[in-house]
Amino acid sequence: MEYISVLLPSAAVGTIFYFAMRAIFGADRAERAAQAAAENEMTHSAPAQAATGQLPAKN
């Protein structure tokens, strides 16, 4: 019982750290995918806009 009470706090902090890092890396992966999609859309839509004479919308 003594070993459990000694190791339990470290195991709990390690588990919390694991899930926190997993969430951070998952969010980073999603952000990189969204950034790549936006860049891909921007590079592939630019020639079409130039051919039709349309200017990009300003926000």
Side-chain angles (χ1 to χ4, degrees):
M1 187 67 179
E2 182 178 325
Y3 294 113
I4 293 173
S5 65
V6 169
L7 294 175
L8 188 61
S10 296
V13 169
T15 302
I16 291 170
F17 178 75
Y18 170 77
F19 285 111
M21 293 305 292
R22 185 174 167 197
I24 289 170
F25 284 124
D28 182 58
R29 187 179 310 116
E31 179 68 26
R32 288 177 189 259
Q35 182 70 27
E39 288 177 0
N40 189 19
E41 180 182 336
M42 187 67 132
T43 57
H44 285 86
S45 67
Q49 289 174 350
T52 60
Q54 294 177 348
L55 296 175
K58 294 189 178 190
N59 294 334

